[in-house]
């Protein structure tokens, strides 16, 4: 019996896009049910890194922008939370004479705004080049932010800010409950997926994709690709900053390490591991990479030695990432049903 094409497409999307979200929603509940509540922050961390990787996926897949500088925005978001929270606790004025803030309704939009604003000049400078030069400029700019954060002695310098007074609240509600914080991260992840999916399918995404393939042709058609590319880079930077703000609440700690280039590399690995065919690939990549890390760390402190070859095997045998593998698996089922 042959399934209708629309039904096949729906099944593929449910498996590829819906299943990882469902896993992230159910896994913490299952962990609590079996008295393994310590695993909840692990799944929350997966959701946060999936959010950051999804923002990087957006500019990489349709814009062709391979950035090694997104750790800078991750750290910026974390410091928006840490600095605001510290001044709220100390009851001292924050930078620019602003009062301290300790509510996610303030810190998350502020993280997005600051991340996006800083991403604009970053994007403008980086997009003057292409290929390896683009990668190196984004890396250099991120390292500049990293050393700037190290120099902030008022906020701990290399040691960072320990938020021992607790996490941000949400509309006055405490976020000390791990499941509540996980739910917030999951809702924001789903919202980001919806927004970025709509933008990918909108004329904005078409122009970015057209510029990636043939920028001169897009200019001949009357578009200004650079403006679209900077806009996409700013949106991506803002979302990654929100992820950094959430991570600060998960760890109750921020440090310049959030902005180290290795974090950018980890986000890039997540994107590649999950596959570039769909935004949900970033979620699959985060589940696989961070899940493997957690499992291997239970067995050996030299887990990275095992992780490297495992990633190579996964990439070799799951061409197109996890998302591509699931699509091929689904197509195989389609032929079996025919």
């Amino acid at each position: 019996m042959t399934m209708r094409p629309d039904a096949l497409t729906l099944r593929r999307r449910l498996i590829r896009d819906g299943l990882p979200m469902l896993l992230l929603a159910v896994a913490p509940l299952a962990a609590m049910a079996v008295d393994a509540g310590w695993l909840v922050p692990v799944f929350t961390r997966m959701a946060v890194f999936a959010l950051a990787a999804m923002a990087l996926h957006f500019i990489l897949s349709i814009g062709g922008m391979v950035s090694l500088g997104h750790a800078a925005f991750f750290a910026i978001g974390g410091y928006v939370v840490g600095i605001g929270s510290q001044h709220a606790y100390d009851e001292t004025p924050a930078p620019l004479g602003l009062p301290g803030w300790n509510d996610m309704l303030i810190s998350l939009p502020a993280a997005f705004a600051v991340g996006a604003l800083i991403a604009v000049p970053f994007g403008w400078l980086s997009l003057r080049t292409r290929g390896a030069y683009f990668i190196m400029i984004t890396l250099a700019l991120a390292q500049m932010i990293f050393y700037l954060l190290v120099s902030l002695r008022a906020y701990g310098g290399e040691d960072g800010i320990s938020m021992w007074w607790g996490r941000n609240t949400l509309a006055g509600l405490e976020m000390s409950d791990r499941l509540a914080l996980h739910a917030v991260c999951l809702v924001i992840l789903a919202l980001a997926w919806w927004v970025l999916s709509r933008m990918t399918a909108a004329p904005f995404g078409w122009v970015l994709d057209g510029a990636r393939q043939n920028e001169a042709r897009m200019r001949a058609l009357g578009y200004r690709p650079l403006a679209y590319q900077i806009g996409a880079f700013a949106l991506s930077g803002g979302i990654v900053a929100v992820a950094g703000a959430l991570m600060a609440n998960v760890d109750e700690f921020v440090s310049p390490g959030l902005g180290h280039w290795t974090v950018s590399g980890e986000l890039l690995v997540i994107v590649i591991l999950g596959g570039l065919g769909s935004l949900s690939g970033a979620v699959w990549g985060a589940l696989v990479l961070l899940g493997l890390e957690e499992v291997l760390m239970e067995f050996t402190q030299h887990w990275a030695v095992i992780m490297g070859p495992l990633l190579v095997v996964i990439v070799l045998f799951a061409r197109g990432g996890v998302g591509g593998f699931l699509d091929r698996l689904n197509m195989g089922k389609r032929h079996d049903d025919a």
Side-chain angles (χ1 to χ4, degrees), residues 27-58:
L29 299 176
M32 295 295 291
V34 297
D35 235 5
W38 59 272
L39 281 172
V40 175
V42 175
F43 298 122
T44 306
R45 184 181 177 85
M46 290 177 181
V48 170
F49 269 84
L51 176 63
M54 190 180 292
L56 177 59
H57 182 289
F58 175 67

Side-chain angles (χ1 to χ4, degrees), residues 16 19 34 47 74 92 99 119 138 163 179 185 195 202 224 236-237 246 251 264 269 277 313:
R16 187 187 61 191
L19 185 56
V34 297
F74 198 69
T92 56
T138 57
M163 296 166 54
L179 284 177
C185 295
V195 170
R224 298 174 58 194
S236 179
L246 292 172
D251 292 340
S264 295
V269 169
V313 170

